[in-house]
């Protein structure tokens, strides 16, 4: 049986009535889909799930709510790109010259129908700007499970306190020289502008491969220095090697974060908190391996980093790939995230417990190896989700595939851009940059009075980097983040020296405690902020305000040097430090979109090395060496070694608190728009 549309039943109501009224015995149907605004035809296409699409024209008659013919063409083309369509696309143009410049790369002409050449068949093929987009509900979770391991490898910068004492003693550095190396550690970890740009141009495996080479080269040089295989390496060589080594964190972390944020666009706060949480937990994981397997050998640790990071990244590279995200909220997705969060929390508690046991008891090598083996099993726990999906698949009605009618292969991959278009959500706006339309089309549009001036994007829509960087909210968020993480990383870089100055000889437990609490802060920031923003539309930056207030109290505790406060202050600071990361990432994506998220997010992260240079390199290092000179020793002892530094950092967090309050008030309307009704709301796309 055959059905065709009648009359003007081409809008959401008309098409819905047609679909409801069609008989189940209907073999074929030809439906007319009309469009007067952006996303209107996209929703109709998703409703119909067509096997063949025919675009009849791109003309000025559709320009009532569009800026240009280019925009009309892109909106119509979006049906093919964004509604999981894997069939044939046909379109005919009364003016054939008008469409070819509007269509993106990767579309190839394969034939013409009719002697009048009014209908031309096109299809998408792979090109340098296109990668395979994996379909289905299981692949994103496979990618997330693999991302956990890559994020652990990306947390290699947190190992600096483990090998820095050996580096200092072997090379004969003073504390300020060691602190400047700590700044190099932070610069390498957080300077991710190049990875952010690369994510817009290359597939994830290519970005990961750069991180593999960086870790091998950088940590290889450090291993040669600490093991004294090569004698008397210049200081500047070690500084550059440390920058290169820890810059692998930026390449590895950016690749998996951007890919997974786009694979789970409706749960970006949860995903960001989870992945960044594992980076925070990586310090405890490396500490466990360092103390239980490597017997506290700094040279063996550097050899592990030189070889282990490339091996892990290469093994997981295939699974880190863009996938087709879900088109709406899924209750099972929430349960899966709860499971993943629960297993990560269990891993954190397990690591803290085993390291305390190692610190207080004399454990045999066999017991230590068993502890490490259990840790590896817990790291593999997220893979239980795709395994469950494979063994117990959900009963879902499969959409009609193009191959059913058109003889396709019915494969599970479709060709689509790596960074799928988004305007604070999946599949919003065009992936391709707007280009000037031809003079003929512009004159035609002007003649019909349909051309309007393009507007700049509003907060919540997709921003280009040059558009975001001129916004006040962008710099407010950057400064608040800079003040929060800059003060926190100062303590992290000097944690071993802080512990020794206060009488703690073995600072391994301090580092593990900071790592665990850092993980709790990152994970908790995603969970708590996601709940508050959906239930009360409270901006995520509210939690930056709360934690910076707590950081003021924490630094005053450090400065007081009261008995029993060192571990409590370290735990509080670790949580607050982690929250800064867990809040900044989703906030950036919500204010400025996912389209250029990689470069915008990595520019935000420059606040970390900037804070390390200012507060750790110049302030803390100078204060420490000045006090050591007064004591006429190389290693300063007593609370005065860092007291003045802590008081300054308390004032820094006070300023951060004031600015974060201002930022929260400014962006509250954005969150009320994005999360009206308790769930993420798709904003209208901008015209850039």
């Amino acid at each position: 049986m055959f059905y065709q549309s009648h009359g003007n039943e081409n809008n959401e109501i008309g098409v819905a009535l047609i679909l409801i009224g069609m008989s189940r015995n209907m073999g074929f149907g030809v439906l007319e889909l009309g469009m007067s605004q952006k996303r209107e035809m996209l929703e109709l296409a998703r409703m119909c799930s067509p096997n063949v699409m025919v675009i009849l024209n791109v003309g000025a008659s559709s320009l009532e709510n569009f800026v240009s013919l280019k925009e009309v063409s892109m909106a119509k083309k979006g049906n093919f790109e964004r509604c999981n369509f894997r069939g044939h696309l046909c379109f005919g143009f009364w003016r054939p010259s008008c469409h070819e410049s509007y269509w993106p790369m990767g579309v190839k002409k394969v034939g013409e129908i009719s002697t009048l050449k009014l209908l031309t068949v096109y299809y998408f093929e792979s090109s340098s700007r296109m990668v395979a987009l994996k379909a289905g509900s299981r692949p994103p979770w496979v990618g997330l499970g693999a991302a956990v391991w890559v994020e652990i490898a990306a947390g290699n910068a947190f190992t600096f306190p483990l090998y820095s004492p050996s580096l200092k003693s072997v090379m004969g550095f003073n504390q300020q020289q060691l602190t400047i190396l700590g700044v190099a550690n932070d610069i390498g970890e957080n300077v991710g502008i190049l990875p952010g740009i690369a994510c817009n141009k290359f597939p994830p495996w290519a970005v990961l491969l750069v991180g593999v080479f960086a870790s091998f080269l950088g940590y290889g040089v450090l291993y040669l220095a600490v093991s004294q295989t090569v004698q008397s390496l210049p200081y500047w060589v070690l500084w550059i090697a440390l920058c290169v080594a820890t810059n692998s964190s930026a390449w590895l972390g950016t690749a998996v974060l951007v890919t997974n944020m786009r694979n789970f666009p409706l749960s970006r706060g949860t995903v960001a908190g989870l992945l960044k949480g594992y980076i925070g937990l990586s310090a405890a994981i490396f500490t466990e391996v360092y103390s239980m397997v490597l017997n506290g050998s700094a040279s063996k640790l550097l050899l592990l980093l030189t070889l282990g990071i490339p091996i892990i990244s290469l093994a997981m590279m295939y699974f880190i790939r863009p996938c087709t995200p879900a088109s709406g909220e899924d209750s099972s997705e929430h349960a899966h995230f709860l499971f993943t969060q629960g297993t990560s929390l269990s891993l954190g508690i397990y690591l803290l417990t085993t390291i305390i046991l190692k610190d207080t008891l004399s454990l045999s090598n066999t017991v230590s190896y068993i502890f490490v083996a259990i840790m590896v099993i817990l790291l593999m726990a997220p893979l239980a989700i795709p395994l469950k999906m494979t063994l117990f698949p959900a009963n879902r009605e499969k959409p009609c595939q193009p191959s059913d009618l058109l003889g396709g292969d019915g494969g599970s991959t479709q060709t689509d851009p790596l960074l799928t278009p988004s305007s604070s959500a999946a599949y919003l706006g065009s992936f391709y940059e707007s280009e000037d339309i031809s003079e003929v089309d512009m004159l035609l549009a002007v003649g019909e009075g349909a051309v309007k001036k393009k507007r700049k994007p509003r907060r919540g829509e997709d921003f280009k980097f040059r558009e975001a960087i001129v916004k006040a909210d962008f710099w407010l968020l950057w400064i608040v983040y800079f003040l929060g993480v800059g003060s926190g990383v100062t303590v992290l870089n000097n944690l071993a020296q802080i512990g020794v100055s206060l009488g703690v000889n073995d600072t391994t437990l301090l580092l593990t405690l900071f790592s665990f609490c850092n993980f709790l802060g990152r994970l908790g920031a995603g969970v708590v902020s996601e709940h508050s923003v959906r239930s009360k539309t409270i901006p995520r930056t509210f939690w930056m305000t709360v934690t910076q207030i707590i950081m003021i109290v924490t630094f005053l505790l450090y400065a007081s040097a009261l008995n029993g406060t060192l571990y409590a202050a370290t735990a509080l600071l670790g949580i607050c430090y982690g929250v800064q990361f867990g809040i900044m990432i989703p906030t950036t994506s919500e204010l400025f979109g996912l389209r250029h998220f990689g470069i915008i997010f990595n520019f935000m992260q420059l606040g970390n090395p900037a804070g390390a240079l200012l507060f750790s390199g110049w302030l803390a290092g100078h204060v420490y060496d000045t006090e050591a000179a007064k004591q006429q020793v190389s290693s300063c002892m007593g609370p005065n070694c860092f007291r003045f530094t802590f008081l300054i950092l308390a004032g820094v967090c006070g300023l951060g608190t004031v600015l974060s309050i201002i930022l929260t008030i400014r962006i509250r309307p954005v969150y009320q728009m994005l999360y009206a009704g308790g769930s993420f709301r798709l904003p209208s796309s901008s015209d850039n």
Side-chain angles (χ1 to χ4, degrees), residues 343-590:
T343 55
S344 63
L345 183 60
S346 301
L347 174 63
I349 296 173
Y350 172 80
L351 289 170
L352 184 62
T353 303
T354 53
I355 291 177
I356 291 175
L357 290 175
K358 178 70 175 179
D359 193 57
T360 55
L361 302 176
S362 178
L363 301 178
S364 65
N365 289 337
T366 303
V367 174
S368 298
Y369 294 153
I370 291 174
F371 281 167
V372 173
I374 295 174
M375 177 193 74
V376 172
I377 293 173
L378 289 173
L379 280 171
M380 297 175 65
L383 294 174
I385 295 173
L387 181 62
K388 171 246 181 186
M389 289 180 170
T390 302
L391 298 177
F392 307 100
N395 294 323
R396 294 182 180 178
E397 184 179 352
K398 293 185 178 180
C400 183
Q401 298 296 328
S403 56
D404 297 339
L405 296 177
L406 300 172
D409 58 10
S412 62
T413 61
Q414 71 181 91
T415 304
D416 215 0
L418 163 61
L419 297 183
T420 48
S422 173
S423 175
S424 288
Y427 303 107
L428 288 180
S430 171
F431 173 74
Y432 301 94
E433 301 293 340
S434 298
E435 300 172 356
D436 294 335
I437 65 175
S438 66
E439 294 183 5
V440 174
D441 292 325
M442 179 60 73
L443 289 174
L444 288 172
V446 170
E448 297 185 14
V451 175
K452 297 178 289 186
K453 185 179 179 181
K454 292 184 179 181
R455 67 171 177 84
K456 295 180 180 179
R458 300 187 181 97
R459 293 175 302 178
E461 297 177 347
D462 283 321
F463 280 73
K464 299 175 184 175
F465 178 70
R466 64 175 179 268
E467 294 170 335
I469 204 171
V470 298
K471 294 295 181 181
D473 292 337
F474 179 93
W475 288 107
L476 273 174
L477 180 60
W478 191 91
I479 294 173
V480 170
Y481 178 75
F482 157 74
L483 297 175
V485 299
S487 56
V489 78
T490 300
V491 174
L492 177 60
N493 286 348
N494 296 276
L495 194 57
Q497 288 72 31
I498 292 171
V500 170
S501 69
L502 296 178
V504 179
N505 294 323
D506 186 2
T507 59
T508 302
L509 183 58
L510 267 180
L511 179 61
T512 304
L513 180 63
F514 186 93
S515 172
F516 174 70
C517 293
N518 181 21
F519 157 74
L520 287 182
R522 295 178 184 223
L523 181 65
V527 175
V528 175
S529 68
E530 194 76 18
H531 173 74
S532 64
V533 80
R534 289 176 181 269
S535 60
K536 303 291 185 182
T537 64
I538 297 175
R540 299 183 194 271
T541 51
F542 168 79
W543 300 103
M544 297 181 85
T545 305
V546 172
T547 51
Q548 293 214 18
I549 293 174
I550 297 174
M551 289 174 76
I552 297 173
V553 178
T554 301
F555 286 125
L556 294 178
L557 280 176
Y558 273 121
S560 68
L562 297 175
N563 290 332
T565 60
L566 177 61
Y567 289 98
T570 302
L572 283 175
L573 185 65
I575 293 173
C576 297
Y577 179 73
V579 169
Q580 309 304 308
F581 287 91
I583 294 299
M584 181 275 289
I585 296 170
T587 301
T588 300
S589 72
E590 286 161 343

Side-chain angles (χ1 to χ4, degrees), residues 121-140:
V121 181
Y122 283 69
Y123 77 106
F124 277 85
E125 66 174 9
S126 297
S127 69
S128 60
R129 298 183 63 178
M130 314 284 280
V131 299
L133 188 66
K134 195 71 175 176
S137 60
R138 185 173 65 250

